[in-house]
Amino acid sequence: MPRSPTTSDVFNAIAEPRRRQLIELLAAGGALAVGALVASMDLPQPVVSKHLGVLRKVGIVSVHKDGKQRIYSLEADRLKVVHDWVKNFEQLWSHHLDRIKLRAERKARGEQA
Amino acid sequence: MPRSPTTSDVFNAIAEPRRRQLIELLAAGGALAVGALVASMDLPQPVVSKHLGVLRKVGIVSVHKDGKQRIYSLEADRLKVVHDWVKNFEQLWSHHLDRIKLRAERKARGEQA
DNA sequence: CAATTGTATTCCCATACTGGAATATGTCAA
DNA sequence: TTGACATATTCCAGTATGGGAATACAATTG
């Protein structure tokens, strides 16, 4: 079985640097038209539109028409799942690191408390 | 110009569900041998080894030998970059959401404060 | 309606990705 | 050394991906 189409998954959507850049632009600039995004990205318009399409499909951005322009907005709450996931490991790089690591290794060796 | 090899990038590494699962297992279980990971994942050993290889290359996990076993440990701090990135948008889904959204949209319309 | 502007879609190419199977490598034990 | 066990690597197939170019589509203006 070959690779499964992991697109339409938030983690995959943000794996692309350009798409992260788009997210950053929308986070900083609020709602923006495609043209504005194209101007900020060093990429041809069709490519930007395609990346926006991915983000749209995943729900990370939403669009509404404004004349012939399409205004994109960030739906930031869709990123929450990523935040929540990494947050689970936050303690592992905190200042408690040493103690936690030690405990984990002891456990791995099968030692009793 | 085709796609650039985005592998060896943390965001890409965690885009794979199986790899996230491996990370979770290591976070929960501390240091674990490949065999233990294979037992917990419904995947053949070579596939697991390959995923571990990716995580290793990115630095998300480290290995040390123990006899014929390879013990993998999570290098959680490598995930910090992801945490930091999403954290930038945390406020956008907080309870201030409405006010922030409003402000952003006003700004987009070019209105003055 | 025609022309123009803004954006999305389609087709193509080169490459990358994952999983499967087989095999190689490494390590210990007898 | 031989054999068994643990893990890594290689080769293959099918699919997905991103960017380029051309084109289609939509909306506004004249």
Side-chain angles (χ1 to χ4, degrees):
Chain A
M1 229 170 299
R3 178 212 248 169
S4 51
T6 30
T7 307
S8 79
D9 161 66
V10 177
F11 283 91
N12 222 323
I14 67 167
E16 246 293 323
R18 310 298 200 165
R19 289 197 285 262
R20 285 203 297 278
Q21 197 179 344
L22 283 170
I23 291 171
E24 290 161 17
L25 287 170
L26 290 172
L32 293 173
V34 176
L37 293 168
V38 170
S40 299
M41 313 262 307
D42 196 28
L43 280 180
Q45 174 267 316
V47 174
V48 173
S49 276
K50 275 183 280 191
H51 280 307
L52 286 172
V54 173
L55 294 174
R56 213 172 33 201
K57 196 182 307 185
V58 177
I60 294 179
V61 302
S62 60
V63 216
H64 75 265
K65 297 188 184 179
D66 178 28
K68 41 188 164 188
Q69 304 193 115
R70 303 300 151 107
I71 311 297
Y72 279 83
S73 309
L74 183 61
E75 299 296 323
D77 57 306
R78 283 312 186 104
L79 298 174
K80 198 174 182 306
V81 58
V82 178
H83 182 264
D84 291 348
W85 186 77
V86 260
K87 205 172 183 334
N88 285 328
F89 314 114
E90 191 177 10
Q91 51 166 8
L92 296 182
W93 65 72
S94 75
H95 59 289
H96 295 307
L97 181 60
D98 295 334
R99 203 169 315 173
I100 289 171
K101 208 169 190 174
L102 205 64
R103 177 153 39 85
E105 284 170 355
R106 259 205 299 271
K107 187 178 175 187
R109 274 186 256 110
E111 294 179 26
Q112 303 298 326
Chain B
M1 229 169 298
R3 179 211 245 168
S4 51
T6 32
T7 307
S8 80
D9 159 67
V10 177
F11 283 91
N12 220 326
I14 67 167
E16 246 292 324
R18 311 299 200 164
R19 288 196 285 262
R20 285 203 297 278
Q21 196 179 344
L22 283 170
I23 291 171
E24 291 162 17
L25 287 170
L26 289 172
L32 292 173
V34 176
L37 293 167
V38 171
S40 299
M41 312 263 306
D42 196 28
L43 281 180
Q45 175 266 316
V47 174
V48 172
S49 276
K50 274 184 282 192
H51 279 308
L52 287 172
V54 173
L55 294 173
R56 212 174 32 201
K57 196 182 307 186
V58 177
I60 295 180
V61 300
S62 60
V63 215
H64 74 264
K65 296 187 185 180
D66 178 28
K68 41 188 165 186
Q69 303 192 114
R70 304 298 152 107
I71 311 297
Y72 279 83
S73 309
L74 183 62
E75 299 296 323
D77 57 306
R78 284 309 187 106
L79 298 174
K80 196 172 184 308
V81 57
V82 178
H83 183 264
D84 291 348
W85 187 77
V86 261
K87 203 171 185 334
N88 285 329
F89 314 113
E90 191 177 9
Q91 52 166 10
L92 297 181
W93 64 72
S94 76
H95 59 289
H96 295 305
L97 181 59
D98 294 335
R99 201 169 317 172
I100 290 171
K101 207 169 190 174
L102 206 61
R103 176 153 40 86
E105 283 169 357
R106 258 203 301 270
K107 186 177 175 187
R109 273 185 257 112
E111 294 178 28
Q112 303 299 325

